[in-house]
Amino acid sequence: MRNNILVFCFFVLISASYAQKLPKKKELLQAMTSANAYFMNKWPDVGKPIVGKDRTRPSNIWTRGVYYEGLMALYKLDPQKSYLDYAVLWGEAHKWGLRNGITTRNGDDQCCGQTYIDLYLMDKKEERIRDIKACMDNMVNSEKKDDWSWVDALQMAMPVFAKLGVLYNDNRYYEKMYEMYMFTKTQHGDRGLYNPAEGLWWRDKDFDPPYKTPAGKNCYWSRGDGWVVAALVRVLDIMPKDAPHRDEYQKTYLEMMRALAPLQRPDGYWNVSLMDETDFGGKELTGTALFVYGMAWGMRNGLLDKKTYQPIVAKAMNAMLSECVHPDGFLGWVQGTGKEPKDGQPLSYDKQPDYEDFGLGCFLLAGTEVIKL
């Protein structure tokens, strides 16, 4: 028994000595700059509609909103005027409006408001915040609370509520956000979309039990859980320490971090089906990037142990840098839009996803947090 313990300790020490280090700041910033330049050069017209696999959509939809979240994070780290101009032109191209107007209750429509509010705080022109505030005020003044029936919506809309709560020092935004979040967590589907026993979320009611993966396991979609991680991180980062219900968000965030750590693949990524490597297992950037974003933020804010999580983050970030970023800045291994592991498959280094903007946004969010470490 004693010999087995000694062998195990020796293995741990040897493993630790070979643990990857975080990428150098210069290397990571160069990769992020290159990936962003590729996209900006490809999309010089910020108002140009996006032609997808099934229809044409305006460029203020959620996919582009997530990209601009990443761009604003990059701008705060590396304040290049071209980044700010690109974001302002986007807002102006859409007259600071939402895809379906101020009466929309769809979180996908509201995601653009995160960047609109950021830009309003830099230059307080009323038109920048008028529509997103009116939209969210409609939500606050309504008794309806079941809109977020898919977990992606948490990332799209919760930070908007949090930003408005801070901006107007108004707890009503926090309370409505919590009410809607808790309905999603505990009531949508069978008994809510969150499984506290495993610390992970089903993407929507189609995937909670009795649904199982081909191997008979629970189906937790990597990017779906990544959206929840990003929602919780962004809300915790925005809200003041004494804001209502902060403890709930932090508790769930920590439960997710503990659940995700042992699910990392040996190559640094997370499978698109977190529990089942046979369910379209393989490299995938977006979910991996969102988990890196959440873990790096947690270490930086003293919520996660660096000895435990920094090797996880380093392995994932190094994998994305070496295996996803093309010399011209294109990002490979990005799963396109969808709701489950099979969507957009098979993935590869060279495959063009149906929408490449949100994948870049996820990558920029991850990279900026890792640099801040």
Side-chain angles (χ1 to χ4, degrees), residues 313-366:
V313 166
K315 183 184 287 188
M317 198 75 240
N318 285 322
M320 288 189 287
L321 287 178
S322 63
E323 298 170 4
C324 297
V325 185
H326 285 230
D328 66 355
F330 173 79
L331 295 177
W333 299 106
V334 171
Q335 185 183 17
T337 56
K339 60 180 283 182
E340 59 183 305
K342 72 177 178 62
D343 291 328
Q345 298 286 354
L347 309 182
S348 72
Y349 174 71
D350 294 313
K351 182 173 182 177
Q352 178 91 29
D354 57 348
Y355 292 77
E356 56 185 317
D357 42 8
F358 71 91
L360 173 57
C362 296
F363 180 70
L364 294 178
L365 288 172

Side-chain angles (χ1 to χ4, degrees), residues 56-250:
T56 298
R57 294 176 172 85
S59 70
N60 59 349
I61 61 170
W62 72 267
T63 65
R64 196 58 54 89
V66 172
Y67 160 69
Y68 279 101
E69 290 177 54
L71 180 65
M72 295 306 293
L74 177 61
Y75 174 74
K76 291 172 185 175
L77 191 73
D78 181 22
Q80 295 192 31
K81 185 176 183 296
S82 61
Y83 299 164
L84 181 61
D85 290 345
Y86 196 66
V88 171
L89 286 171
W90 176 64
E92 290 176 345
H94 294 287
K95 298 182 180 179
W96 306 96
L98 285 64
R99 174 176 57 167
N100 289 305
I102 63 173
T103 61
T104 183
R105 300 183 65 89
N106 189 327
D108 289 352
D109 294 341
Q110 296 161 344
C111 183
C112 60
Q114 298 189 45
T115 298
Y116 292 173
I117 296 170
D118 286 347
L119 294 172
Y120 170 78
L121 292 172
M122 295 179 187
D123 187 356
K124 293 191 175 180
K125 295 178 179 178
E126 193 61 28
E127 65 266 23
R128 296 186 176 187
I129 202 170
R130 179 188 59 237
D131 283 11
I132 188 59
K133 183 179 187 300
C135 179
M136 305 316 276
D137 284 351
N138 286 337
M139 303 283 281
V140 168
N141 295 326
S142 166
E143 294 184 3
K144 195 171 186 294
K145 57 185 178 182
D146 61 351
D147 298 276
W148 298 340
S149 59
W150 72 112
V151 295
D152 316 32
L154 302 183
Q155 198 285 141
M156 309 304 159
M158 285 180 67
V160 180
F161 278 113
K163 287 173 183 286
L164 291 173
V166 172
L167 179 57
Y168 293 102
N169 192 27
D170 189 342
N171 282 356
R172 291 181 304 159
Y173 294 107
Y174 302 138
E175 294 296 344
K176 189 64 181 183
M177 174 176 66
Y178 176 73
E179 182 183 35
M180 295 178 69
Y181 161 85
M182 288 302 292
F183 192 95
T184 302
K185 183 179 181 181
T186 64
Q187 291 184 252
H188 268 305
D190 185 20
R191 288 187 296 275
L193 298 182
Y194 181 63
N195 183 358
E198 293 186 309
L200 296 169
W201 297 66
W202 292 290
R203 195 269 180 179
D204 56 52
K205 66 180 178 60
D206 293 342
F207 299 96
D208 64 11
Y211 185 93
K212 295 291 182 182
T213 70
K217 300 179 181 180
N218 282 333
C219 183
Y220 302 112
W221 182 43
S222 177
R223 190 164 71 235
D225 276 84
W227 289 136
V228 181
V229 168
L232 296 174
V233 162
R234 291 179 73 74
V235 165
L236 288 168
D237 201 47
I238 294 164
M239 294 170 70
K241 299 294 184 184
D242 60 350
H245 313 298
R246 184 183 177 91
D247 289 348
E248 157 60 30
Y249 305 133
Q250 183 169 307

